[in-house]
Amino acid sequence: MADHGAAGISPDPAEDPAFALAAIAEDGVPSRPLTVVDLDAVDGPGSWFAGAGATLGRATRPLSGSAREVARTLTTSVVPPGLADEPTLVAVDDVDATVAAIVARTSLAPRTTIALDGLLRLTEGVDAETGVVAESFAYSMLLASPEFAAWRASRAPRQRTTTADPVQLRREGDRLDVVLDRPARGNAFSADLRQALVEALRFAALDPSLTLVRLSGEGRHFSTGGDLDEFGTAPDPGAAHAVRLDQSAGLAVHRIRDRVEARVHGRCIGAGIEVPAFAGRLVAAPGTTFQLPELELGLVPGAGGTVSIPARIGRWRTAYLVLTGVALGAATARDWGLVDAVE
């Protein structure tokens, strides 16, 4: 068995009765944010509890019934191609290399890893409105963490830019086209774009004659996510939470989701997939990729992604996307149910 170091690895929590407490060091810093569970060694029924940490299952051969039960209690699990026959399991080309990569990423963001696991378990069983509130609390809390501060300090400050008309509206009969129009910045979700988008969606909600609201983006990409130059610029976490809820584009889409069709292309990063995933129908162009890179910033998804994406693909695959930061192709996104069609 490969040595995964501080991540820990065990087939049975009973073999290490202290591990649940060992996840938090005396100074309060998570010392074991992730426990790797060897599903090949599971030979009896049970569930897995890792205290304050996240859990990553690994298997290299077909899972027993007991191992499947355990996998359902974990944060996510990786298996070789051909074995991922349920949403709790994610197929990867090299199981141990993927495990090592996840261990390395989570060791750099232990607080964020723990917050992500708890948040995904919480939002799994609640309505969208409540889930977005919970996500905002977690995201805003992490804005005050040293993990986010380290990412922020690593970036040279740049002047914020604004766009005069970041969202274009075009009405034709009973259809309203809502088009992100900030192509020079990859349609990044700046404060002005987000506000214009929310206002457009609220307008659509008040007009029952609009039977189709089609969301799309100009330029090479639908959206490359939040505008990084604006991250961490709120005066305090409480203010960030209030603004995030008042200007939630994801909830604005969700509230009229039965009338919304999102058509995405190019790169869809962070908010670029979190927001359109709330739509009743989500269509991707061939070659579209989807990515949740927030862990590298010391953050969880903050545009509703811990609600909208698990609703489509489950919390295990969502956790995998965040923990790895990989770019998911359109075909796999369709197979998973992240998008409804590739056209």
Side-chain angles (χ1 to χ4, degrees), residues 74-95:
L74 304 181
T75 307
T76 193
S77 298
V78 293
V79 299
L83 298 187
D85 54 1
E86 59 178 277
T88 60
L89 310 172
V90 179
V92 298
D93 292 332
D94 188 324
V95 169

Side-chain angles (χ1 to χ4, degrees), residues 102-307:
I102 293 175
V103 168
R105 282 172 58 84
T106 57
S107 68
L108 298 176
R111 299 167 182 81
T112 309
T113 300
I114 290 173
L116 173 71
D117 176 67
L119 181 60
L120 286 174
R121 294 179 187 275
L122 175 62
T123 59
E124 185 179 28
V126 301
D127 61 90
E129 303 269 351
T130 303
V132 168
V133 172
E135 179 188 276
S136 180
F137 275 130
Y139 184 96
S140 302
M141 171 191 70
L142 290 170
L143 287 174
S145 75
E147 292 163 19
F148 174 72
W151 173 83
R152 186 71 183 170
S154 70
R155 286 178 53 85
R158 298 198 313 177
Q159 184 175 359
R160 294 171 59 180
T161 62
T162 60
T163 305
D165 296 300
V167 175
Q168 300 295 326
L169 302 181
R170 304 164 188 154
R171 177 161 187 167
E172 183 176 339
D174 58 3
R175 187 186 80 208
L176 178 68
D177 281 290
V178 180
V179 186
L180 308 186
D181 193 15
R182 202 174 177 233
R185 295 298 299 271
N187 292 327
F189 271 70
S190 59
D192 53 348
L193 183 146
R194 184 177 61 247
Q195 182 176 0
L197 176 59
V198 169
E199 289 178 355
L201 294 169
R202 287 174 177 169
F203 165 77
L206 295 173
D207 188 348
S209 70
L210 291 171
T211 60
L212 175 62
V213 178
R214 189 165 63 186
L215 178 62
S216 62
E218 292 284 0
R220 296 175 55 198
H221 310 294
F222 171 74
S223 175
T224 54
D227 190 324
L228 299 183
D229 294 336
E230 298 185 3
F231 279 37
T233 57
D236 60 76
H241 171 66
V243 170
R244 190 161 296 279
L245 292 184
D246 182 65
Q247 296 294 315
S248 174
L251 282 182
V253 172
H254 170 73
R255 289 165 183 156
I256 57 170
R257 67 182 310 274
D258 291 342
R259 293 189 280 157
V260 178
E261 177 185 80
R263 303 189 71 89
V264 300
H265 68 283
R267 300 179 70 186
C268 300
I269 302 175
I273 178 54
E274 297 172 48
V275 172
F278 279 105
R281 180 170 170 78
L282 175 54
V283 180
T288 305
T289 60
F290 306 92
Q291 194 171 8
L292 297 175
E294 287 90 347
L295 190 71
E296 294 179 3
L297 284 64
L299 297 171
V300 295
T306 62
V307 177

